[in-house]
Every structure is written in C-alpha cells, then in structure tokens.
Amino acid sequence: MQDLLALIVMLPLAGFAALMFGRRFPRGLVAAVGVGSVGASAAIATIVAWGTSGTFTQPLWRWLSVGAFRVDISLHLDPLSLAFVMVVTWVGFLIHLYSARFMAEGEGYARFFAWMNLFVASMLILVLADNLLLLYLGWEGVGLCSYLLIGFWYKEQANARAAVKAFIVTRVGDAALAVALLLIWTSLGTLDIAAVGAKASAQWASGSGLAIAAALLLLGGAVGKSAQLPLQTWLPDAMAGPTPVSALIHAATMVTAGVYLIARMRAIFELAPIVMTLVAVIGAATLLLAGFSALTQRDIKRVLAYSTMSQVGTMFLALGVGAWSASVYHFVTHAFFKSLLFLAAGVVILRMREEHDMFRMGGLRKKLPLTFWTFLIGALALSALPPTAGFFSKDAILAEVWKRGGAGLWLAGLVGALITSLYTFRMVFLVFFGEAKEEPKQDAGWTMGIPLVILATSSVVAGFFRLPEGGRTEWLLMSASAAASLAGILIAWLIYVRRPEAGFRFGRTKLAAFWLSGWGFDVAYDTLFVRPLAGFARVNRGDFIDAFFRALAALALLDHRAFSGSVTGRVRWYVAGLACGAVVVVAVLVLL
Amino acid sequence: MTAVFYISSVVALVATAMTITRRNPVHALLYFIVSLLAVAVDFFVLGAPFVAAIEVIVYAGAIMVLFVFVIMTLNVSSEAAGEKPAIFARGAWIGPSALAFALLVELAYVIAKSAGAAAGGVSVPPAEVGRALYGPYLIAVELASLLLLAGLVGAYHLGRREVAGK
Amino acid sequence: MVTIPMEHGLIFAGALFALGLAGVLLRRNLLFMLLSIEIMLNAAGVAFVVAGAKWQEADGQVMFFFILAIAAAEVSVGLAILLQMYHRFKTLDTDAVSRMRG
C-alpha cells in the first residue's frame, strides 16, 4: 500500500503532461483529465494514509551525484507531510471540481488545468521531499505555477503586473532559502532533512551563530512564500488570478508552505531561540496589520487575501512559541474554511457578473441560498466561533501562546480574533444582508455546489478530531476567545446593519485609506527599491556591453543591406560573379 | 593533315565569335553550327571518329534544331526580343571581355606550363568507346538517361501554356 | 591520324570557353545566353576529347558523351523556361525579368 506513494505525485504530473498538448481537446476531456488526476491522487493518498503508521521513505532514483554531493529523488511520509498531502489532494480535488464549471466560459481551459495540475504536483513534491534540494524544486515549482496562474488572464496589463510582482517579491524569499541550503550543505555536509536535523542538533550549540543564520535564512524563505511581514505585499495583488487559484494557491496550500518549512526544519529553529521569538513577533505583527487592512477593503477577494495573511500570521505565531502541532492543525482547518470562503465568493462574483465591490452587492441571502449558508459556515469558522473547526484550532493556538509566549503575544492573538470576526461579518452583512442592489443570476450549480457543501461540512467536523483539554485556565481562555469573536460580530452588526452610514463615514477617513493601501508598504517599497532600481536601469541602459551588442546588430544589418543589394535579380551579374570567382581560383593556382 | 586541325580550329573560333555578336538569332545559330562542324573535324583529326559523328548528328543536328524550333515558335525580331539596336552599350563590353580574356590567359598559362605531351596519332574506334560506355561507365550511362528523363519532364512541365496561378 | 601538341588542343578549348563566357556576360537575350552556355559545354567536351586523344583511351570520348547528355537536358529545360518567359513578359531580356531581387 505504501508503495503507491509515488503515484500521488505522478498522477497530477501526468495530468499536466497530457494537458500541455490539450489545446484542441474537447472541454469534457480536459475536465476529466484535470479533475480526475487530482481526484485519483486524493484517493490514493487516502489509501496510503490508511495503510501507513509512523514514517515511510520511498527512494525513487538518484538525482545528482557530484563528488560527495548526492541527492536522491526520494519521498518521505510522516504525520506532518501526511497532513499536508491530505489537504493538498482533497482540497485540491474539490477546487478542481469546482473549477470545471467555474472556468467553463472563456478561453485557456486546458491551460488552466495543466497549470493547476502542475501546481498540485509541485506542492506534493514540496511536502513529500526527503531532502532540501527536492523540497526546493517543489518550492520553485509552486512559485512558478503561482506566477502563471495569477497572470492567467494575461491580456490585462494589471494581471500580468500582479503576476510579476508576486514572482519577484517571493523571489527575495526564495533567494534566502537558496542561501540557507548552501549554508546547510557547506556546514553540515548533507541536505537530507532527517540527517540535517540530527547533525545540527549534534554540531551546533543552541544560540550559535550558524544556527541563527540558517534559521534566519529559512525564515526569509518562509516569509516570502507565506506573505508575512515584510514580504507580504504580493498577496493582495495576487487576487488578480481566477478565484479557484486564489482558493487553492493563495489561501489553502502554497502560502502555508512557509509554515511547513518552519515545522519541517524545527530542529534548526529550536537551536535559535531568538529566531523563534522573531517568528512569533512577525506572525503577531502580520496578524494585526493584515487584519486592520482587511477591515477597509472594498474588494471581497482582497478582504479574503488579507484575512489569509492574518491567519497564516496566526500559524507563524504558533510556530514561534513552539506550538508545532497546533499550527499544523490550524493550517488544516484554515485550508477548509478559507478555500470554502473563496469558492463561495467566486460564485457571488460569477453570478454578479464579475462584480468585486462589496458595497455594490447586498441582499444576496435570498437569491443565492446555498452560497449564503456555506459562506456563513465558512465565516463562522474564520471568526472562530464554537463549535466550528476554526474555533478549536485557533483556541489551541491561543492556549499554547498563553502558556509559552506570554501575555503580550496572547493579547495580540485575541485582538486579532476580534478584528477577524469584525471584518468577516462586515463582509457577510455587506454581501448577503441589506437591500438588494443588483439581481444575480442563478445559484451555484451542483458541480460548484458539491465542493461548497463538502468544504462547509469539513469546516465544522474537522474540529472534533482534536478537542481541547479541560482545565480552569483552558476554559477561561476559550471563553475569552469566543467572547472576542462574538464581540467582533456584534460590532459588525451594529455598524453595517444598524448604521451603515457610520461605516461609510469611517471608510472616508485618512486612517481607512492608510489601511486600505496595506499600511503604505507598497508605496514605501516603490520609493525605496523599485524606483531607484528602475532609474539605475534607465541610466545604465546604454552601457558598453549593450553598445557592443548594438554594434553587432548594426553590423549584421549593414551586411544584410550589402548582400541584399547584391541580389539584383539580374542573371548576368550572377554569372559575372561566378566568372570572377573562377578567375581568382585559377589565379591562386597559377601563383602558387 | 596537321594543318587541318589548326585551320578548322581557327574556323571554329571565328564562327563562335560571330555567334555571340550577331543580332539576328538565326544568323547566330548558323554560325554556331559552323563552329560545331569545325570542332567535329578537329575530333576526327584527333582520332575520335565516334564523337565527331555524334557532334554533327546530335549537337549540330538535334540540339540546334530545338533552337530553330523555338525561334520559329516565337517569331521574334531582335528588337522584340529585348535587344536594343546597339547590341553592346558603349563601353559595356569591356568589363565582361576583360574578364573572359583574363580567364583565357590564366588557362593558357597553366596549360603551357605542362607543355610537352603530344595528343592524337592513334584512332580510338567507336567499338572501344561502346565497350567503355557499357562496361565501366554503365552506371553513369544510366544516370545520364535519368537526367534526360528529368529534362524531358521538366521541359514538359515548364513548357505548358496554362500557367499555374492564372 | 596526326599528332598535335596537347596544349594547343587545350588552349583551343579554353578559347572556346572564354568566348562562351563572354557571350553569357555580354548578351541580355536569354536565347543568346543559352547558346553561349552551349558553347561553354562544347568547349569542355573538346578538352575531354583532346585529353582522351593524348592518352589514346576511350574515356575522353565517353565523357564527351555525358556532356552531350547534360547539354541536351539543359537546353530542353532552358528553352522551356525561355518560352514561358516570353509568354509571360513578352520579352527575352533577362535584365527586364529581375523581380527576384533582394
């Protein structure tokens, strides 16, 4: 049973390979291949999970062998990667199923599924990798797919720009990760994850310079991929991609790759307590920053994007205090309810004819009942209200933070919870309550409805697998977080249902504009990095290397003119040329 | 008899020179036939009676008849054929002539350097040529036949009146 | 049968060839150009026959035979092109037909 492990990766990869040539395939076939490959992968993942206890490594073949540097293509399954594999395949399958209908109109159907399949394969390689180099392959693979899918509608300039922005900003983190790999290889002599952990613990003292450097560099990679401070600016723009892409890549799976990386390399992070604290602080800061930004967004997808940043920040907070399993648990529940919210938002956007602005929606509760109820469940889970899964996972994190991280971080988490439920229900009230402003078309059909229902069920049920322990402190903490969530909902109700004009007034203040722009990070980066670099590039445009190549081009053009001038179309000139050649050749014979 | 070779050679060269300078194609053709006949005499004198006969029959006969047919088909006067009243624009003949002359001088020089061998004297009869053709050169003969077939097909295709694209 | 110095025969062939070349270069009429090409081919044949007579072998004549075959094929295709050109452009001036220029 365990030997099927490789198939989990291979099937989406095969789907990608087939769909690369799928431009002329009928749509039904494209959907069957695209959805089927991920579905089969999910089924096999379940079978493997059933038959596996503990860890299992499946070596496939040797990838590189240069001197002492040997890297295998080898898959490693343990509880951590199993959690990620199950989420990636099953949530991925549901989103693919949803996309089969959602993407049905418009061109690039086969292209979409090819890249989605490639993404699933890359993500699976990332989480199943047995060594860091293979992990890096998956890491870059998901980055590439993210870039391709954000710019899926590449004919719009803004989408292409968003894709490039996401690629470049995450690249900053990727470069840090690459340096981390080199550092680990040169100082520990191996890239095998298990061996790295063992050797690091044996060779590096806690708090030693090398350990801190390695952990910092790994954190850099994680921060870039997971859109945490200070590399968070790409995620809101990444919403330019199709909604299923946002759900799969920019909510459920890829942005949590940073969480996976830190959890996977915990041996190194545990040797660098300072960096652990930094992880927690970054998480808490992102959690609050993104939460406040989400409060002011008008675009429903940007609210969800900021919410994703905020939730991943929560996971980082948990990682930072050493609550590894709580963090992964929150990843699982978050994958369910956030992809549910995205998919439901996708239905709303689709049925409202590509309307993203929440202030132009309203009263959709009656028109889109299925979407409303599933969205509501997702919103409750995001707001961490009992008894949804979001409540249990967030409560687990907050309890751990209280125990190990201190009151300051805990308070940040609590405020974050309040803001989360505030912006979530601001969204719910604006979209589904109030008076109807535009008539939607019909509700989600069954291909889009089934994933919504399954994800909504999961968002509730997933919480019962890991019930919190009892105890006086635990109950108090639980009540506090539940109260915070309820308070957030209440405030949202007071503002956006009872007194909508107050919400409008707030939206026009300077503070709101500041939050809307994502705390001015974009402007700051633009003036700090982009403009100077672009200016430098403009100045440096005509440097000597360029001049050399331009001269080469000019020379080629000159040759072209000369030779095309010699092609006169007059046969006699050609004969004369031949005769001249003959004269010269014979002359050479004579003279030699 | 040696004199025959030189006389006919001079005749051939003069006739050729006349060929390329005539304005009327029929005149040029007639001069060319004279040149070919003179060359045939040279062949005979050099002891190659088979090619001498072939030169007269095939070259001066068959191939030149083709030219005659074409001239008759077109029925073009020299003006209509695009030749201006002056065959050579003033000065335009100098360059090509100099080029051809340079080539000739070079050839003559190269040939003269290896002077000393005598040619002719013994007749190589047609029977021997035939044995050579159908012995060691058999494949070349077959290739030549293939070439002629290709020429035939090509001429048929190109010579059709209804042109593709019209 | 007479013997003559081989170089005389070869120079004769070279002179014929040079005349043919001059003809191709000088004349603009396609008919004359074809004729001049025939002269050049014939000159090459003369050189072969002279060389064959020097060695007193049949090979020179055999080569002349092949040159004849080539001349026949070439002239048939060339004349077909000439006819076609005349039908299309009503001229035999090769300089007038220079649309295939760069």
Side-chain angles (χ1 to χ4, degrees):
Chain A
M1 282 303 161
Q2 298 178 335
D3 294 335
L4 293 174
L5 187 59
L7 270 184
I8 301 175
V9 180
M10 293 303 167
L11 278 171
L13 207 58
F16 160 69
L19 289 175
M20 272 219 305
F21 306 101
R23 190 190 279 246
R24 305 234 175 279
F25 288 4
R27 300 211 155 194
L29 182 62
V30 169
V33 173
V35 180
S37 64
V38 180
S41 178
I44 292 172
T46 314
I47 295 170
V48 170
W50 205 265
T52 306
S53 51
T55 64
F56 169 64
T57 305
Q58 186 180 32
L60 294 176
W61 65 83
R62 174 140 293 174
W63 184 12
L64 296 171
S65 175
V66 183
F69 181 65
R70 291 205 180 79
V71 181
D72 291 340
I73 301 271
S74 166
L75 304 179
H76 179 79
L77 190 70
D78 63 3
L80 175 61
S81 49
L82 184 63
F84 274 82
V85 165
M86 291 304 281
V87 169
V88 170
T89 52
W90 276 109
V91 174
F93 167 63
L94 292 173
I95 293 172
H96 273 73
L97 184 62
Y98 172 91
S99 311
R101 173 74 195 84
F102 186 84
M103 300 298 294
E105 279 108 38
E107 56 189 42
Y109 199 57
R111 187 161 56 98
F112 178 82
F113 276 107
W115 290 343
M116 288 290 267
N117 276 6
L118 181 63
F119 170 78
V120 171
S122 305
M123 191 69 206
L124 288 168
I125 289 174
L126 198 169
V127 299
L128 282 171
D130 162 69
N131 58 69
L132 282 171
L133 199 65
L134 190 60
L135 182 146
Y136 193 67
L137 176 74
W139 188 271
E140 291 297 321
V142 292
L144 171 71
C145 293
S146 161
Y147 162 76
L148 291 172
L149 285 162
I150 292 170
F152 181 74
W153 289 310
Y154 57 89
K155 284 173 185 162
E156 298 266 339
Q157 179 87 25
N159 295 348
R161 278 181 174 279
V164 170
K165 182 178 178 186
F167 197 69
I168 292 173
V169 174
T170 51
R171 184 126 305 269
V172 175
D174 294 354
L177 179 57
V179 177
L181 256 59
L182 297 176
L183 179 70
I184 288 171
W185 163 252
T186 45
S187 53
L188 295 178
T190 179
L191 285 179
D192 189 81
I193 289 169
V196 165
K199 279 196 176 178
S201 313
Q203 293 181 11
W204 291 345
S206 179
S208 68
L210 270 176
I212 289 175
L216 268 179
L217 287 166
L218 288 171
L219 176 62
V223 158
K225 205 55 122 191
S226 292
Q228 298 295 295
L229 277 173
L231 295 177
Q232 85 286 23
T233 55
W234 63 272
L235 189 61
D237 289 341
M239 296 301 121
T243 308
V245 172
S246 310
L248 178 61
I249 301 183
H250 306 119
T253 53
M254 189 189 83
V255 289
T256 55
V259 177
Y260 174 80
L261 182 70
I262 294 176
R264 179 53 85 198
M265 303 309 292
R266 60 185 278 189
I268 288 180
F269 279 90
E270 278 169 343
L271 290 172
I274 299 173
V275 183
M276 287 285 277
T277 315
L278 184 63
V279 172
V281 171
I282 285 178
T286 313
L287 161 70
L288 291 175
L289 242 66
F292 282 115
S293 283
L295 274 177
T296 54
Q297 302 297 321
R298 296 173 71 95
D299 183 332
I300 184 168
K301 281 181 73 181
R302 285 178 85 92
V303 176
L304 290 171
Y306 278 110
S307 156
T308 303
M309 272 157 62
S310 163
Q311 294 301 307
V312 178
T314 313
M315 295 177 214
F316 269 60
L317 177 61
L319 291 172
V321 299
W324 310 104
S325 67
S327 177
V328 173
Y329 181 42
H330 192 56
F331 150 72
V332 175
T333 59
H334 173 255
F336 289 137
F337 63 72
K338 187 51 68 65
S339 54
L340 165 65
L341 285 170
F342 262 113
L343 296 187
V347 174
V348 171
I349 291 168
L350 188 69
R351 295 308 183 212
M352 293 296 283
R353 300 167 197 83
E354 294 304 315
E355 181 58 70
H356 284 237
D357 190 343
M358 294 189 298
F359 286 94
R360 299 217 188 114
M361 301 172 186
L364 296 178
R365 185 172 30 137
K366 298 268 168 55
K367 305 284 194 257
L368 306 172
L370 177 67
T371 312
F372 167 64
W373 285 111
T374 48
F375 194 91
L376 187 64
I377 291 170
L380 287 171
L382 177 58
S383 309
L385 233 67
T388 59
F391 169 73
F392 293 112
S393 61
K394 195 175 257 181
D395 179 66
I397 289 177
L398 286 178
E400 295 266 1
V401 170
W402 174 263
K403 250 183 271 172
R404 309 186 196 190
L409 291 172
W410 178 80
L411 201 62
L414 198 68
V415 173
L418 180 107
I419 297 168
T420 303
S421 58
L422 179 54
Y423 67 69
T424 308
F425 276 86
R426 169 179 175 262
M427 188 160 59
V428 171
F429 292 139
L430 281 176
V431 175
F432 292 102
F433 290 79
E435 75 262 35
K437 287 167 189 151
E438 208 175 333
E439 280 294 293
K441 292 185 266 181
Q442 82 276 25
D443 204 358
W446 68 269
T447 25
M448 294 202 281
I450 286 177
L452 290 180
V453 171
I454 295 176
L455 284 170
T457 316
S458 313
S459 299
V460 177
V461 176
F464 301 134
F465 289 113
R466 194 174 182 280
L467 290 171
E469 301 139 29
R472 208 160 143 254
T473 333
E474 274 76 16
W475 279 109
L476 266 175
L477 290 171
M478 224 187 275
S479 322
S481 67
S485 301
L486 276 172
I489 297 174
L490 195 67
I491 296 169
W493 184 75
L494 282 175
I495 295 178
Y496 292 99
V497 178
R498 295 298 295 273
R499 307 192 46 199
E501 63 280 6
F504 278 120
R505 250 202 322 279
F506 173 69
R508 275 195 289 276
T509 57
K510 281 227 169 88
L511 183 66
F514 182 58
W515 285 350
L516 181 67
S517 69
W519 296 70
F521 271 96
D522 272 327
V523 181
Y525 287 167
D526 208 40
T527 39
L528 271 181
F529 302 114
V530 179
R531 267 162 214 270
L533 263 175
F536 181 66
R538 215 170 296 125
V539 169
N540 202 27
R541 201 158 176 173
D543 65 354
F544 71 99
I545 296 175
D546 253 18
F548 172 71
F549 284 108
R550 226 170 271 151
L552 217 59
L555 190 68
L557 197 65
L558 198 72
D559 284 354
H560 155 74
R561 296 240 171 83
F563 282 117
S564 73
S566 78
V567 182
T568 54
R570 296 174 183 219
V571 184
R572 296 190 312 150
W573 281 101
Y574 303 160
V575 179
L578 278 174
C580 282
V583 168
V584 168
V585 168
V586 180
V588 167
L589 279 177
V590 167
L591 294 175
L592 295 182
Chain B
M1 280 292 274
T2 317
V4 174
F5 175 82
Y6 292 105
I7 292 167
S8 62
S9 294
V10 169
V11 169
L13 288 175
V14 170
T16 306
M18 298 298 271
T19 306
I20 61 171
T21 51
R22 287 314 85 189
R23 182 170 302 166
N24 188 324
V26 179
H27 293 179
L29 214 54
L30 286 174
Y31 274 114
F32 188 40
I33 290 171
V34 170
S35 160
L36 290 174
L37 292 176
V39 169
V41 171
D42 273 359
F43 287 166
F44 191 78
V45 171
L46 283 173
F50 175 64
V51 290
I54 291 285
E55 177 97 349
V56 173
I57 296 167
V58 179
Y59 235 130
I63 295 179
M64 286 309 114
V65 165
L66 265 179
F67 273 93
V68 172
F69 277 163
V70 168
I71 291 166
M72 283 163 62
T73 319
L74 296 180
N75 192 21
V76 280
S77 65
S78 51
E79 268 82 4
E83 204 82 30
K84 290 191 183 120
I87 298 178
F88 313 123
R90 202 182 328 152
W93 58 275
I94 297 174
S97 306
L99 202 57
F101 188 70
L103 191 62
L104 176 61
V105 169
E106 283 178 348
L107 283 176
Y109 178 78
V110 173
I111 293 162
K113 259 212 312 200
S114 56
V122 175
S123 173
V124 179
E128 206 175 310
V129 177
R131 270 195 289 277
L133 269 178
Y134 290 96
Y137 289 103
L138 186 59
I139 289 182
V141 171
E142 292 298 331
L143 288 177
S145 73
L146 211 64
L147 181 69
L148 286 170
L149 181 66
L152 184 70
V153 173
Y156 171 74
H157 177 73
L158 287 168
R160 279 185 308 176
R161 271 300 185 89
E162 63 279 352
V163 187
K166 280 199 179 176
Chain C
M1 295 301 112
V2 299
T3 50
I4 49 124
M6 186 180 73
E7 62 266 26
H8 291 187
L10 292 180
I11 287 170
F12 168 56
L16 274 181
F17 187 85
L19 280 171
L21 178 62
V24 176
L25 292 176
L26 283 169
R27 304 301 296 254
R28 290 185 316 213
N29 189 322
L30 185 58
L31 189 75
F32 280 89
M33 289 174 79
L34 282 176
L35 214 53
S36 301
I37 290 169
E38 290 303 306
I39 293 170
M40 287 158 82
L41 279 168
N42 192 41
V46 171
F48 270 116
V49 172
V50 169
K54 193 257 168 194
W55 300 107
Q56 295 168 1
E57 291 285 350
D59 300 346
Q61 298 188 42
V62 169
M63 284 304 156
F64 183 84
F65 188 79
F66 292 140
I67 286 174
L68 203 66
I70 289 167
E74 177 257 318
V75 88
S76 58
V77 173
L79 286 173
I81 291 172
L82 182 143
L83 283 175
Q84 197 64 257
M85 175 177 157
Y86 189 73
H87 288 310
R88 285 202 187 189
F89 300 102
K90 299 294 172 217
T91 179
L92 291 179
D93 186 354
T94 50
D95 286 0
V97 190
S98 60
R99 268 164 51 187
M100 276 176 71
R101 62 178 165 267

